[in-house]
Amino acid sequence: SIGDPAINLVPRRMIREAVEEELQKINSEVLEMWELVLDQMKNVCEAFFTDDKEKAWEVLIREKRVNACETKLDCDIEDFMARFNPVAIDLRFTIAMLKIITDLERIGDFAENIARFIIKHEEKYLDDSLLEKTRIREMADCVVEMLGMSKTAFEERDIAIAYSLFEKDNVLDEINSASTDALAQYVGGHNDKLAFCLDFKGVILRLERAGDHITNLAEEVIFYVNAAVLKHTTDKLGKDKALMHKLRGEDNEQADGC
């Protein structure tokens, strides 16, 4: 049944056309928000490694657009669900979109936090040895790449790309874990940099958390496309094994079908 009683008087074909039109509108708006957040992360990472405070300010200003996108999409999706009472794949799509825009907004927040770090530290903070030891450039490049890949996975409904993001997230976890010792060693030779290193660790943590939210995006793409719920697998190694098992199963099915 349809949520709005007036819609019951409309031919089913017209209802379906209206549903498809609304779904396409939501899809387009989500992609626009995704692109905006991707630009934010690209710009803040570039600003970080060039100490470009003007670009950091631009990221701060554009963060309001990210928040506005989330608010509008949240309203649009809730309105769609109230009007059309979606079921099956349409319901999975709307649920996935609500979760996706929340994760995108959080990634936008992390970009804003990094921009504030750049603006806060007036002195030259780029130390080549520190950047090398913490592998933060590798980390930033990985986050930007993952965010772009997640958008592609959604656009193309490609779950293989979505699955590949879990392995990349392991790299971010590894770098984050090793960075604490690297920063401790750096402080040992630069006693005046303790407060700075605490803030620097905050940047690393935000990049690592951004990676976690990108894997959430991948999970929602998989949920929408395959109806496979991955969030219940809390053990990271167990999740990786489950994903590999699923991929092998799909490969075997394709081989049987040839």
Side-chain angles (χ1 to χ4, degrees), residues 15-27 80:
I15 294 174
R16 190 60 214 173
E17 289 176 354
V19 168
E20 290 295 338
E21 183 179 345
E22 288 298 317
L23 289 175
Q24 187 56 48
K25 177 184 174 184
I26 292 170
N27 188 86
F80 170 80

Side-chain angles (χ1 to χ4, degrees), residues 75-181:
C75 292
D76 288 348
I77 293 170
E78 289 181 0
D79 181 64
F80 170 80
M81 296 181 76
R83 290 171 58 203
F84 296 104
N85 192 22
V87 295
I89 192 169
D90 292 344
L91 180 59
R92 293 206 306 272
F93 176 82
T94 51
I95 292 173
M97 294 310 100
L98 283 171
K99 294 180 179 179
I100 281 173
I101 62 175
T102 299
D103 284 308
L104 288 173
E105 192 274 335
R106 290 297 296 130
I107 296 169
D109 285 345
F110 296 138
E112 177 190 14
N113 295 149
I114 296 172
R116 291 188 183 280
F117 168 89
I118 298 168
I119 294 167
K120 173 182 177 181
H121 292 279
E122 293 294 338
E123 75 279 5
K124 180 176 174 57
Y125 62 81
L126 295 176
D127 184 322
D128 290 339
S129 66
L130 181 61
L131 298 181
E132 181 180 354
K133 289 177 180 178
T134 57
R135 297 167 62 192
I136 192 170
R137 189 182 296 275
E138 179 185 351
M139 195 178 203
D141 290 344
C142 187
V143 168
V144 171
E145 180 187 15
M146 287 175 65
L147 190 52
M149 289 174 65
S150 69
K151 179 174 177 285
T152 300
F154 175 68
E155 284 181 296
E156 300 179 3
R157 307 308 195 244
D158 191 329
I159 61 171
I161 295 176
Y163 279 131
S164 70
L165 292 170
F166 295 101
E167 184 175 352
K168 288 184 176 296
D169 185 50
N170 290 337
V171 175
L172 298 181
D173 293 338
E174 175 196 341
I175 295 174
N176 174 52
S177 179
S179 67
T180 301
D181 287 341

